[in-house]
């Protein structure tokens, strides 16, 4: 039956894309447990909607869109929680998670890049990760973020400018002072 | 400064695109010409390239938590669970009004009589949950066989069943005993109670059949009251029971305003446990409770079910009037 075929095909979709989507969500959330949960949720949603997908659809971009939406909802929920905690003074507002916890990266510049990426505004950060870490094109990124291709490009460029600024101190060593 | 084809401000986005390796050839050329003349932008380009290189090394560096094995295994198990619970359904017209058939991975999970009018969405959601998907293709074969059955062109629906909508072990036993009733035969609720070894539980049997998730397929219409009254079916739609029985050759005549009755004197009669069917007047059969009997509307049905004519009352030589 058609259904069975669709399910077999979905196995292949999981096989082809799960690791990458999870890696994307790991970069987005910086927490393995969140990446696990959200990547599972991405594929469960995809499975429910899979049969309604037109043939020849861009599956990878579609999965990135679902993952991006889940990631953004996750952040919204997180910041709501933080605000709620702060409001009742149960706990001081949490700072950015320690993204380097347990890591020993020899290259401090890379750590700095990650920190700067982590501190970018949400859309810039997501656009930058999709473009530079996963090489999606701007049209796909635009679809994921519900914005135009041009806005997607602008987000990525703006992210790059900020990363560069954040790195200036480290990178300026060895380059000539600007006249 | 010498001739500058483009201002620094204008060149900046092209510079970024160049550093990331995604500029058009024209833009690359524009940047090349510009930075040849402009040291500040040349330095910018160098920095952006360095940044891009760092980002690139980040992309290639495996993270410490980059092991998807566990998440993948959990996903596989959750998908399997979702699939097994997922029901595809079809809704279609039938001689008995609109019907819904739902099937899961395991088999047919649900047959439901739908109201002839009104919104179905809420009802379907309530019956099947949010994960149900309408899929005519997945239920088309079932639909075709069911229609054949309802038109009397098919005596068996040999479908794999999904028993998970059965509510208890008791109900499962009741439904199994009911499914074993031959085509064209009837017995009483107490008869099913006897068959499952709980002879006093006929009221519970009636309740269990009332919640039969698979009417028609599991032929609860073949179970009637001890006095021959059809009693109830699909809520208050006892006329559906009469029609289903009529398709199988069991005639129930109107009895009172709202019911029909199967008259024992018009039925070939099998004493449970025997291998020969009789005329209803054979021996002491007429005094036996229906729970000990199975009634057939015709000799053909009794014989199709594997029973032979009684050698003393000879229903084959003295058939009941049609």
């Amino acid at each position: 039956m058609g259904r069975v075929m669709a399910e077999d095909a979905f196995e292949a979709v999981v096989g082809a894309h799960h690791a990458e989507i999870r890696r994307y969500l790991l970069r987005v959330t910086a927490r393995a447990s969140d990446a696990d949960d959200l990547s599972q949720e991405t594929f469960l949603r995809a499975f429910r909607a899979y049969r309604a997908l037109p043939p020849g659809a861009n599956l990878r971009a579609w999965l990135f869109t679902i993952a991006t939406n889940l990631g953004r909802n996750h952040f919204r929920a997180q910041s709501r929680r933080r605000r709620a905690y702060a409001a009742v003074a149960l706990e001081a507002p949490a700072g950015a998670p320690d993204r380097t916890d347990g890591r020993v990266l020899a290259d401090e510049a890379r750590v700095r890049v990650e920190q700067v990426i982590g501190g970018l505004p949400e859309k810039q950060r997501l656009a930058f990760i999709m473009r530079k870490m996963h090489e999606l094109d701007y049209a796909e990124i635009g679809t994921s973020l519900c914005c135009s291709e041009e806005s997607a490009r602008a987000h990525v460029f703006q992210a790059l400018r900020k990363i560069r600024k954040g790195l200036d101190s480290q990178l300026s060593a060895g380059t000539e002072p600007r006249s | 400064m010498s001739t500058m084809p483009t201002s620094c401000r204008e060149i900046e986005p092209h510079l970024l695109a160049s550093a990331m390796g995604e500029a058009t050839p024209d833009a690359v050329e524009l940047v090349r010409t510009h930075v040849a003349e402009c040291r500040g932008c040349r330095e910018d380009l160098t920095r952006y390239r360095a940044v891009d290189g760092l980002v690139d090394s980040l992309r290639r560096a495996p993270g410490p938590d980059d092991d998807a094995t566990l998440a993948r295994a959990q996903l596989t198990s959750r998908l399997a669970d979702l699939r097994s619970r997922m029901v595809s359904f079809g809704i279609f017209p039938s001689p008995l009004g609109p019907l819904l058939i739902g099937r899961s991975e395991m088999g047919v999970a649900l047959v439901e009589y739908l109201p002839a009018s009104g919104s179905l969405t809420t009802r379907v959601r309530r019956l099947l949950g949010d994960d149900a998907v309408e899929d005519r293709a997945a239920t088309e074969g079932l639909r075709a066989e069911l229609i054949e059955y309802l038109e009397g062109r098919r005596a068996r629906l040999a479908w794999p069943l999904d028993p998970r909508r059965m509510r208890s072990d008791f109900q499962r036993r009741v439904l199994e005993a009911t499914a074993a009733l031959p085509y064209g035969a009837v017995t009483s609720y107490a008869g099913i109670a006897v068959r499952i070894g709980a002879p006093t539980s006929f009221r519970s049997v009636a309740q269990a059949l009332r919640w039969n998730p698979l009417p028609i397929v599991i032929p609860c219409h073949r179970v009637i009251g001890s006095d021959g009254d059809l009693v109830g079916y699909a809520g208050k739609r006892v006329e559906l029971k009469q029609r289903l029985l009529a398709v199988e050759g069991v005639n129930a005549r109107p009895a009172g305003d709202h019911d029909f009755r199967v008259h024992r004197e018009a039925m070939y009669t099998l004493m449970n446990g025997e291998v020969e069917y009789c005329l209803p007047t054979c021996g002491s059969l007429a005094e036996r409770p229906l729970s000990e009997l199975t009634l057939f509307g015709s000799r053909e049905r009794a014989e199709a079910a594997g029973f032979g004519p009684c050698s003393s009352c000879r229903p084959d030589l003295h058939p009941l009037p049609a």
Side-chain angles (χ1 to χ4, degrees):
Chain A
M1 295 233 172
R3 169 114 190 267
V4 174
M5 277 165 55
E7 285 172 357
D8 289 348
F10 196 78
E11 282 298 313
V13 172
V14 173
H17 300 292
H18 176 260
E20 188 187 20
I21 291 293
R22 184 184 173 279
R23 199 172 306 124
Y24 169 60
L25 287 162
L26 184 59
R27 283 171 171 141
V28 165
T29 64
R31 282 172 61 126
S33 59
D34 288 344
D36 286 354
D37 292 349
L38 294 176
S39 65
Q40 280 180 34
E41 193 54 36
T42 299
F43 281 88
L44 291 172
R45 287 195 184 193
F47 178 68
R48 292 189 179 105
Y50 184 60
R51 288 192 294 177
L53 210 61
N58 183 342
L59 269 175
R60 181 168 172 263
W62 180 62
L63 291 168
F64 267 94
T65 301
I66 301 174
T68 301
N69 286 332
L70 286 171
R72 296 179 74 185
N73 287 341
H74 173 76
F75 288 127
R76 268 192 284 279
Q78 236 180 13
S79 70
R80 262 200 306 277
R81 267 199 301 280
R82 265 183 220 149
R83 276 199 303 275
Y85 283 139
V88 295
L90 283 175
E91 191 178 291
D98 184 1
R99 308 173 68 88
T100 58
D101 183 36
R103 300 184 190 187
V104 184
L105 266 185
D107 189 343
E108 282 187 17
R110 288 207 311 214
V111 176
R112 181 79 189 123
V113 170
E114 285 203 307
Q115 282 171 343
V116 177
I117 293 175
L120 290 170
E122 186 178 285
K123 282 193 173 185
Q124 289 174 18
R125 189 160 58 87
L126 293 169
F128 190 78
I129 292 173
M130 279 190 266
R131 178 70 197 131
K132 295 306 292 180
M133 303 290 168
H134 297 275
E135 298 177 320
L136 268 67
D137 65 34
Y138 290 113
E140 293 169 335
I141 297 169
T143 306
S144 282
L145 292 173
C146 291
C147 67
S148 67
E149 192 174 329
E150 276 321 301
S151 299
R153 191 192 311 272
H155 287 316
V156 173
F157 279 28
Q158 194 56 26
L160 191 67
R161 291 186 188 103
K162 288 184 180 169
I163 295 167
R164 181 230 152 133
K165 272 193 194 126
L167 276 173
D168 259 358
S169 54
Q170 274 128 326
L171 286 182
S172 59
T175 57
E176 295 170 50
R178 195 158 175 182
S179 54
Chain B
M1 288 252 172
S2 59
T3 51
M4 293 265 291
T6 317
S7 75
C8 295
R9 194 183 174 83
E10 284 171 305
I11 207 75
E12 197 261 0
H14 298 304
L15 201 109
L16 264 72
S18 276
M20 289 197 288
E22 56 187 48
T24 61
D26 284 354
V28 170
E29 183 55 24
L30 216 56
V31 168
R32 200 187 60 76
T33 318
H34 182 91
V35 298
E37 301 287 335
C38 176
R39 198 172 78 172
C41 288
R42 191 158 62 240
E43 284 171 17
D44 277 352
L45 182 61
T46 311
R47 284 205 191 162
Y48 278 125
R49 281 194 174 133
V51 172
D52 194 62
L54 274 171
V55 169
D56 203 45
S57 69
L58 267 181
R59 177 171 64 84
R60 280 178 277 118
D65 299 318
D66 201 22
D67 183 359
T69 323
L70 182 62
R72 172 77 186 273
Q74 283 171 346
L75 172 62
T76 304
S77 114
R78 286 182 69 185
L79 273 175
D81 180 55
L82 177 59
R83 271 177 189 173
S84 78
R85 281 186 290 109
M86 245 170 112
V87 171
S88 352
F89 67 90
I91 293 173
F92 51 87
S94 84
L96 303 183
L99 280 173
L100 176 148
I101 297 184
R103 63 174 300 167
S104 71
E105 227 175 24
M106 281 182 81
V108 179
L110 189 72
V111 172
E112 180 84 5
Y113 295 102
L114 296 174
S117 59
S119 162
L120 294 179
T121 319
T122 320
R123 189 178 172 112
V124 168
R125 290 280 161 250
R126 188 167 52 74
L127 280 169
L128 299 174
D130 288 337
D131 285 331
V133 275
E134 184 157 12
D135 186 344
R136 282 166 181 272
T139 49
E140 172 52 30
L142 302 170
R143 183 203 68 83
E145 289 191 11
L146 193 66
I147 295 296
E148 284 176 18
Y149 183 94
L150 295 176
E151 290 175 349
R153 293 183 284 124
R154 167 183 288 272
R156 244 173 87 75
L157 296 170
W159 297 347
L161 302 181
D162 178 346
R164 286 174 297 180
R165 276 164 201 275
M166 297 177 190
R167 298 178 171 205
S168 63
D169 185 52
F170 179 83
Q171 189 188 28
R172 193 172 310 220
R173 281 156 55 214
V174 167
L175 294 175
E176 277 169 10
T178 303
L181 289 174
Y183 187 79
V186 293
T187 189
S188 64
Y189 295 100
I192 296 295
V194 168
R195 283 169 170 80
I196 63 167
T200 58
S201 303
F202 56 92
R203 284 196 184 83
S204 307
V205 167
Q207 280 304 308
L209 290 176
R210 184 175 166 206
W211 299 110
N212 176 10
L214 293 156
I216 309 175
V217 189
I218 295 178
C220 55
H221 58 275
R222 294 178 196 154
V223 186
I224 62 178
S226 298
D227 55 2
D229 283 1
L230 300 195
V231 182
Y233 191 71
K236 294 187 171 174
R237 303 178 68 187
V238 77
E239 78 282 0
L240 296 180
K241 194 167 183 174
Q242 180 264 331
R243 290 177 64 182
L244 280 165
L245 288 173
V247 168
E248 303 183 14
V250 174
N251 290 316
R253 301 203 177 84
D257 288 343
H258 304 293
D259 207 348
F260 298 85
R261 176 174 289 182
V262 173
H263 293 273
R264 278 173 61 168
E265 60 274 20
M267 303 288 287
Y268 295 95
T269 304
L270 175 79
M271 182 80 181
N272 291 338
E274 298 292 333
V275 293
E276 293 182 342
Y277 67 94
C278 305
L279 293 168
T281 48
C282 183
S284 62
L285 278 184
E287 280 83 57
R288 297 281 185 174
L290 182 50
S291 61
E292 294 178 9
L293 310 172
T294 304
L295 309 181
F296 289 92
S298 67
R299 288 172 46 221
E300 290 72 25
R301 294 299 168 219
E303 285 170 23
F307 304 104
C310 170
S311 46
S312 55
C313 70
R314 298 303 299 267
D316 48 336
L317 298 179
H318 313 286
L320 290 167

